[in-house]
Amino acid sequence: MKKEPLKRLLKYCLPYKMHLVGIVILSSIQIIFTLLIPIYIGKAVDTMIGVDQVDFTLLIQRMICIGSFMLISALSEWCVLRLSNRLTYAITKDLRNDLLSHYIELPLKVVDQYANGDLISRVVNDIDLVGDGILQGFTHLFGGIATIIGTICFMLYINVTIAMIVILLTPLSLVVASVIASKTYKYFQIQLSIRGQLNGYVEEMVGHQKVIKAFGHEEENKEHFDELNEQLYRSGVKSQFFGALVNPSTRIVNSIVYASVAMGGALYVVSGNMSVGILTSFLSYANQYTKPFNEISGVFTELQTAVASAARVFELLDRHVEQEVDSPIQLEGVRGEITFDRVYFSYEKEQKLIEDFNLHVNPGQMVAIVGPTGCGKTTLINLLMRFYDTVSGTISIDGVPIQDISRHDLRSYYGMVLQESWLFTGTIRDNIAYGSQASEEEIIEAAKKAHAHNFIAQLKDGYDTFIHEDGGNLSQGQKQLLCISRIMLKNSPILILDEATSSIDTRTEKQIQDAFDVMMKGRTSFVVAHRLSTIRQADVILVMKDGHIIEKGTHDELLKQNGFYNQLYTSQFEKEKD
Amino acid sequence: MTINNYIVNIIDKGSAVMWKKYIKPYRYETIFGLFFKLVEAIFELFVPFIVSLIVDKGIQGGNRDYIIKMGLLLYGLAAIGYLFALVCQYFASKASQGFGTGVRRDMFAAINAYDYKNIDDIGTPSLITRLSHDVNQLQVAVAMGIRLASRSPIIIIGSLIMSFYINSQLAIIFVVCAPLLALSIYLVMKHSFPLYLKIQNQLDKVSLVTRENLSGMRVIRAFSMQSKEKQRFQDETSYLNALQVKVTKISALLNPSTTIIVNIAIIVILYVGGMKINVGQLSTGEVIALINYMNQILLSMIVFANVILIFNKASASYRRVEEVLAIEPEIEYGTTQLSLDSEECIRFSHVSFAYEQAQALSDVSFQVKRGQTIGIIGGTGSGKTSLVNLITRFYDPSDGEIDLFHHSIKEYTQEQLRDMIALVPQTAVLFKGTIKENLLWGKKDANEEDIERALEQAQAKEFVDLMEKGVDSELSQGGSNLSGGQRQRLTIARALIKNADILILDDSSSALDFVTESKLRKSLQELEQTTLIVSQRISSLQHADVILVLYHGKLVGQGTHYELLENCPVYQDIYVSQNKKEDQS
């Protein structure tokens, strides 16, 4: 087990150190008094020797002791449980908040390296597992060890010989536990991998059930599934059998300890060296003796998972967040003049993408970016918005290098519509107003400009319609209209339109195009273009292929070059012509 | 909901049928498992009694031989008990795993038989969790049922019986105490259950906000809304924390309260026991035995409470599994092979179609001749894909008739219908395996030549040849190691290799660049089969023999490109919007 994540987890406990102190003190009290009860039950038994030989004064004294010990131990147990739960949940809350706050500020370069599902499971599942680990650690590990030590001490105190019987039998339970653990681990690994395969298969096949039906592939799928299912059965029986051994196995160790104490103790009592009451106390210790061992071994597996999860959480927390310049320059009234000066950029060192790129865009000009799908058009957007930083060279706005502007300010100059429309759960109003304190009129005005008002007005709740996760209750086109309304409202000096109209039907698209034309007037704009109409009216066209900018110029210039653009253009032209 | 309800749910009639069906093949394992557990529990019940004998007869009488004999008996009981536990464990594993395997098998088969509507109703992600997570919960419940649910009641009842056997007056303490214990466990569970459900929901919310933060990463940054998002997230985690703390207020009561009850009972046993010993009605050993039985009742009750928790989880899972098994596909197919020698290929007569909430197509009529190329154009939500789904009979129309080759579509067998139509779906779906394996989906016995030809026609040969292993290259799940355009071309090749009578391309060249798309179009023109091309772009289908124009589910125009330019306003609009700028220049 790595120690590093554990240490850092302890740091998260520090703000709650009073909780920790409380837990340690109170659970010590609880354990001591719980362990005292069997002794006093034994002592009570010793007050009743036989007919007419019961010492009632002493018996009542013992009973009062048992009663008060029990109350003390119950009360402290209640406090310990409350405290340790509070502590655990507070830590998981802090961890979650830290993790989200952190990755929301991470450079996209870093975030893009992780799969979405992976990040979500770190925030939700991993931290849950860390929480479980901490809770188990506090309640069972500390409690278990303290109970074992306490039991041994008490036993040694009341009778050394019998105590030795129990102590000598202890290694037996350790051996049994470790043998089972290693066996179980092996079979669980096998089962886990088959289960993984089966789940992957199910996900693929159920997920694409529609394609499977179209190709009539059901029989083959069923056969393959049955085969995996059969494998899972065979490994499942084994791993479940071994996993379930823990319980009876510790029980038999316990029974052996119990039988030994009963027999050895009784013989000892007969020789007159011990009272029946003490034997009773011993028997109740023996009865519960292996329980903490059992629990501790369980805690260790859980701690292992927790540490592994914590490591995954801390790994993300260790990535460096975006750094801002010390004294950022603030621009007043951005005109939208943009310069690329000898810009070099690549995502990975080995694969050079943009090399020595120079471009000057005057305020109000329109730049079209064209090229086949996957040609790397988003790369330019990543650079303009400083989602990624250039390797060398400078990009400037109104003559100021964008590195000298804070990201917050820089991004506020842009209005951006991305390929995939993003909405969050909330009302349509909230989604359009995102990030601004706009009035009702302004929101409606923006929606009207983006031709979204009509469909919104037709919804039962209008602007108060609640959008579910990922806008599931809206069509793709409607979602995009909302994103466009959002940009209409923002009214930024520079626009970035990334294939914004690709999934809107052609009639709506035309209307939006008109709105865009209005919006683009007097503003610098970068448009990832699909269509000839957009391309032709651009002031500069950037032609991209395989991540590189291979041609640059106006429509006429590029046609004359007779290069890739010419080829692209004629192929589309042909299509529209014949 | 109360625990009572949960228990009732588990044993209600409907579920009994399912339990029976899947447990039945393993009934011997189940019975043996329960039997061996029962024997083990009974052995365990003897232990405190034997100890009391050791105290009363062995110690009191000073009989060493007797003590040793009884001690050995204890060892013997432990050993036999262990052996029985192992046997029970083995049968429980077999029965529960076998149960789960059976349920999974039937669920997968049921899902395989679903029609589109069934899948839409439940949703894919839910089907997946039901098949994996929910079946697992059921499996655990069966195993626990055999191993623990039988043991605890036996120990509890057995301990009660033993207490009566030892002393019927003291047994009253047991009769009072056991229900009290049960009551306190019940109260704690009753009040904490609803909170646990709330916690689960809140955790889902936390993960929802996380997911939104990931998918909206760029937008959030573009709007510099990080601090608002942090606040939104912290609100959710704080509420989660509040709920968790609230539930522990209740759940932390369980242990202390049950120990208090048991210890009070022990105190009473001690006092009354003392009085009885004093008058010679009870022995010391018997008092010790009674105390032990009391402790055993407590432990068993707590185990039993956990079993109820597991069963409760399982009952929710059970309902979700049963739902999957209960759904019957509504579409029924014909039984005879039909001849396809008609010149008319497709005929729609006054066809209307609605999904749950929305009308998708209204009163659509048209016909297609064999060998024609048909274009279907319209905006999003105009009903293009619905029309395709009706031709493939993924859904049945709510009104009107569809004929293929002069036979009602309902008379075809599922197999013949699938064989005569090759579909390229809107989303380019490929499966884990080699490219070749994926292509063979279209035609199981395709040879090298077929594959080459299909790849060539789909304009995929070029990039496949460039791959190191060619058609034997491995695709990862969903084909994610290929670009969107490459995936699309492979799905086209998969449909072409089928060489079916009708080929349908559902907006499936959207990710292709201009050059590739025009090449693809040319190669499709050479095919003889009836071809339906669905698109939003006029340029993709203007060469079609007939173009169908859909607008909000209605067929508003059909004819050739030039006819439609003359007489179809919607088509004219689309044309203008896609060509406006060209005309101006």
Side-chain angles (χ1 to χ4, degrees), chain A residues 105-121:
Chain A
E105 303 286 0
L106 281 176
L108 281 180
K109 194 176 161 182
V110 174
V111 180
D112 285 346
Q113 291 165 7
Y114 297 92
N116 275 6
D118 182 33
L119 287 173
I120 293 168
S121 89

Side-chain angles (χ1 to χ4, degrees), chain B residues 476-504:
Chain B
S476 43
Q477 194 172 333
S480 56
N481 51 344
L482 295 179
S483 78
Q486 291 172 331
R487 279 206 298 274
Q488 239 168 23
R489 279 176 271 172
L490 285 184
T491 56
I492 294 172
R494 181 177 62 191
L496 287 175
I497 208 170
K498 205 169 164 183
N499 207 8
D501 301 272
I502 304 171
L503 172 68
I504 303 175

Side-chain angles (χ1 to χ4, degrees), chain A residues 52 97 104 106 204 213 220 229 240 251 260 373 425 434 469 505-507 532-533 536 575-576, chain B residues 40 75 97 112 114 211-212 221 237 278 379 418 432 444 511 521 573 578-579 581-582 585:
Chain A
D52 282 336
N97 288 346
I104 214 173
L106 281 176
E204 201 173 6
K213 297 220 176 312
E220 287 90 336
N229 200 12
Q240 192 183 324
R251 225 171 28 232
S260 309
T373 347
T425 46
Y434 193 58
E469 196 194 349
D505 68 83
T506 37
R507 283 163 65 87
L532 295 177
S533 49
R536 278 218 198 140
K575 213 156 57 173
E576 317 240 322
Chain B
E40 191 215 344
Y75 285 120
Q97 294 286 337
N112 251 338
Y114 277 9
R211 206 158 43 232
E212 284 184 347
R221 286 168 198 230
T237 53
N278 207 29
R418 297 268 166 81
K432 199 172 150 108
K444 275 144 206 151
R521 206 181 54 238
D573 264 10
Q578 290 180 5
N579 292 275
K581 298 294 179 338
E582 275 85 339
S585 58

